[in-house]
Amino acid sequence: MTRSRVFKTLIALVAASLMGLVAVPSQATVTPARTINESTVGMQMFMWNWKSLGNECRTNLGPAGVNWILVMPPQDSISGSAWWTHYQPVSYAIDSNLGTRAEFAAMVAKCNEAGVDVIADAVINHMAAGSYHFPNVPYTNTNFHYFSPEHNCQEDISDYSNVTNVQDCQLGGLVDLATEQPYVRGKIAAYLNDLLTLGVKGFRIDAAKHIPVVDLAAIKSQLTDPNVFIINEVIGGPPEPTTYYDIGALFSFDWSSAMKTAFGSYNGAPDLDVPNSQYNGMGTSNLEVTMVNNHDTERNGGSLTFADGKKYLMAMIYTLTEPFGVPMLYSGYAFSDFNAAPAYKNGYNVCNTGTGVKSSYIDGYMICTDRWTAVQGMIRWHKWVQGEAKVRHYSDKYAYAYGRGTKGFVVFNSASSNQSYAVRTGMKPGTYCDVVSGGKNPIKIVKGKRTCVGLTVTVDAGTRLKAKVAGMTAVAIASYSRR
Ligand code: LM2
Ligand code: CA
């Protein structure tokens, strides 16, 4: 939010409160949302518990320049060891095996201090399967579509071409809330407002496709922060996904599948032609959250995953180089069982060792992509080239390369072996340090001399970038990485 917008909002609030129109929020501690847009980088922190996450914000996420994180649903849920218990709410008390309310609040505070905004996953389409009675909200039979006179549906969703069926019936046995009811909307809004008072800046709307956008708009209108950042989960239509732009952004599942197509096989990258062909119709840039994968797609084959090694990293790098979209990376854990939750040691998540792609990861240990050299290097690059147009496309059998104005240039080699490139860039001639292998600070001083942490790359007098790029690897340089 710009200063003048803050100022105008303040004036409006003061005026309205003088007129007795609004209650002035008592929480003076609520910090205004930083704007989430293409210049920011997000990361989904799947199954991180609150105390581990607070530490990760301070030690890695904040320093790496991650601006916002998507965290697990924080509400009370059915018990059990599967990760998906968190998608079956039993009340809106902020208390689960990921942590207590106090631990959640401490995490948000720590993250905010480290410059990281928190987006909470809001499971508001349904409650846990098998009951229509949730005394701690409270909800009773009449608050569910199963018993609703006007929106009655007593079965699971069976017809994905029928919006009424998609929005009123049960999603895999999960009891469907009557979100058209003012009472239900009020309960949901109270829960979300509770999270806002703890410093949360926005929400992922779980199963948004299964909630009419008018219901979501009515809930949003009751939220205390008008700048709350909402990301809707709508995988294909009907309803037409872009109708959800009315209340917020969308996750781009098209992006995930495009990344799988482009980098899922050796020599795939030259297929990319952005935004001229493949990404036409991908929507509005600042309302599409571009992701390589999420927790569902990494389990259902809809995307690349940690198990794809270098291909997965290539897709992450690519996502950070494109001007299109609001990028969100992902940090989950290695698994071989769909249901398995991560391993915790003394109550904390554990990272796999190392700072990059490995040939194998310990099951249950977090991948911790925020600690990877290449990810940190590319986050900085991403921010550096903001506002610069994509220029000088180059592609051949294995390579795909382009610049962002004259501030940065990247080459993707999707062959399985090293390739030598000499590509015209428009960058100032000189010696550069690669930020993919060199990370956030790609230049170091050794005995008074500036040296590259990773690969050294030259740009000749004809602005040609000359580099030998390893198989399924990218090389990226920026004006700040000129040695
Ligand atoms: C989502 N987005 O719309 C989440 O991203 C996704 O992870 C959730 O499914 C889903 N919607 C519901 O919030 C996960 C998981 C399912 C799991 C549900 C509910 O992928 O497998 O379903 O959470 O916990 C589980 C069982 C399923 C059973 C259901 C109801 O796996 O077999 O269906 O509970 O008992 C009868
Ligand atoms: Ca519904």
Side-chain angles (χ1 to χ4, degrees):
M1 181 148 71
T2 61
R3 264 185 182 206
S4 74
R5 265 180 78 199
V6 175
F7 193 64
K8 279 181 195 155
T9 312
L10 264 175
I11 299 271
L13 259 178
V14 171
S17 66
L18 284 176
M19 294 185 291
L21 290 177
V22 294
V24 179
S26 55
Q27 256 87 1
T29 52
V30 176
T31 44
R34 284 174 281 254
T35 309
I36 291 177
N37 57 29
E38 293 102 323
S39 71
T40 60
V41 176
M43 189 175 276
Q44 178 179 358
M45 303 303 286
F46 184 61
M47 286 301 276
W48 282 78
N49 69 15
W50 311 144
K51 34 185 207 180
S52 307
L53 197 45
N55 291 345
E56 194 68 10
C57 274
R58 183 172 284 175
T59 58
N60 291 286
L61 292 163
V66 172
N67 303 88
W68 57 277
I69 52 175
L70 168 60
V71 308
M72 290 296 289
Q75 91 296 316
D76 192 6
S77 60
I78 58 164
S79 52
S81 58
W83 62 266
W84 45 255
T85 56
H86 298 288
Y87 290 90
Q88 299 205 34
V90 297
S91 89
Y92 296 134
I94 300 166
D95 190 15
S96 73
N97 61 22
L98 296 168
T100 62
R101 179 184 179 88
E103 286 171 333
F104 182 81
M107 176 276 288
V108 177
K110 265 192 181 179
C111 291
N112 285 351
E113 240 171 65
V116 183
D117 285 343
V118 173
I119 305 295
D121 200 342
V123 184
I124 57 177
N125 171 64
H126 53 262
M127 299 295 280
S131 173
Y132 297 91
H133 189 59
F134 296 90
N136 295 332
V137 178
Y139 287 139
T140 65
N141 291 6
T142 55
N143 300 128
F144 293 92
H145 285 146
Y146 193 97
F147 295 98
S148 153
E150 306 88 17
H151 291 261
N152 188 276
C153 181
Q154 301 193 334
E155 55 196 47
D156 281 0
I157 297 163
S158 57
D159 181 2
Y160 271 89
S161 68
N162 179 328
V163 180
T164 307
N165 188 279
V166 166
Q167 297 185 330
D168 289 353
C169 301
Q170 301 189 152
L171 177 62
L174 302 162
V175 296
D176 205 59
L177 280 163
T179 44
E180 66 282 359
Q181 294 177 2
Y183 175 81
V184 172
R185 290 174 177 180
K187 285 294 173 190
I188 293 170
Y191 165 51
L192 301 184
N193 280 331
D194 188 24
L195 289 169
L196 291 175
T197 67
L198 299 179
V200 162
K201 302 293 167 26
F203 304 104
R204 167 188 188 261
I205 307 296
D206 179 74
K209 173 179 185 164
H210 304 282
I211 309 172
V213 71
V214 291
D215 296 359
L216 291 175
I219 292 164
K220 188 184 177 189
S221 74
Q222 295 179 46
L223 299 185
T224 47
D225 179 1
N227 298 308
V228 56
F229 190 72
I230 289 178
I231 319 173
N232 298 287
E233 198 224 14
V234 184
I235 314 175
E240 166 52 37
T242 55
T243 57
Y244 287 76
Y245 285 165
D246 284 355
I247 63 141
L250 288 169
F251 287 105
S252 180
F253 290 88
D254 288 350
W255 192 271
S256 311
S257 40
M259 290 302 100
K260 189 180 175 179
T261 307
F263 297 109
S265 64
Y266 290 97
N267 98 0
D271 294 347
L272 291 167
D273 187 11
V274 185
N276 302 322
S277 64
Q278 210 170 343
Y279 299 152
N280 262 351
M282 277 209 162
T284 304
S285 179
N286 67 350
L287 291 174
E288 292 287 334
V289 174
T290 46
M291 55 183 190
V292 175
N293 69 290
N294 73 5
H295 64 288
D296 292 322
T297 68
E298 76 169 348
R299 283 173 175 74
N300 66 19
S303 67
L304 294 169
T305 78
F306 69 92
D308 291 299
K310 289 200 252 176
K311 296 172 183 168
Y312 183 52
L313 177 58
M314 283 283 265
M316 285 197 262
I317 295 171
Y318 187 82
T319 302
L320 289 173
T321 59
E322 257 299 318
F324 181 86
V326 178
M328 182 183 80
L329 304 176
Y330 180 80
S331 174
Y333 50 94
F335 64 90
S336 43
D337 167 6
F338 177 95
N339 302 313
Y344 296 95
K345 226 187 212 171
N346 303 320
Y348 289 88
N349 292 88
V350 195
C351 281
N352 271 276
T353 54
T355 52
V357 171
K358 296 173 74 160
S359 52
S360 72
Y361 301 90
I362 298 174
D363 239 31
Y365 282 23
M366 310 312 283
I367 306 296
C368 299
T369 47
D370 60 311
R371 300 186 182 190
W372 288 8
T373 305
V375 170
Q376 296 186 351
M378 290 313 298
I379 290 174
R380 182 173 174 195
W381 192 97
H382 171 86
K383 294 181 181 183
W384 181 253
V385 303
Q386 273 319 295
E388 301 292 328
K390 195 171 170 176
V391 291
R392 290 177 192 271
H393 294 215
Y394 167 86
S395 63
D396 64 20
K397 194 167 173 215
Y398 301 120
Y400 187 78
Y402 65 91
R404 293 289 302 275
T406 53
K407 290 181 105 178
F409 199 89
V410 61
V411 182
F412 297 88
N413 170 22
S414 65
S416 53
S417 55
N418 293 340
Q419 303 291 320
S420 292
Y421 294 108
V423 187
R424 273 281 261 279
T425 64
M427 303 282 293
K428 201 169 161 186
T431 304
Y432 289 78
C433 298
D434 166 38
V435 310
V436 172
S437 53
K440 199 172 52 167
N441 297 307
I443 303 172
K444 63 179 176 186
I445 316 274
V446 177
K447 292 184 187 152
K449 272 195 165 175
R450 289 160 70 83
T451 320
C452 289
V453 172
L455 264 184
T456 304
V457 176
T458 45
V459 172
D460 72 10
T463 87
R464 268 178 300 269
L465 175 153
K466 290 186 171 164
K468 192 173 182 186
V469 185
M472 202 47 93
T473 299
V475 161
I477 58 171
S479 31
Y480 68 76
S481 83
R482 189 163 176 270
R483 205 175 69 190

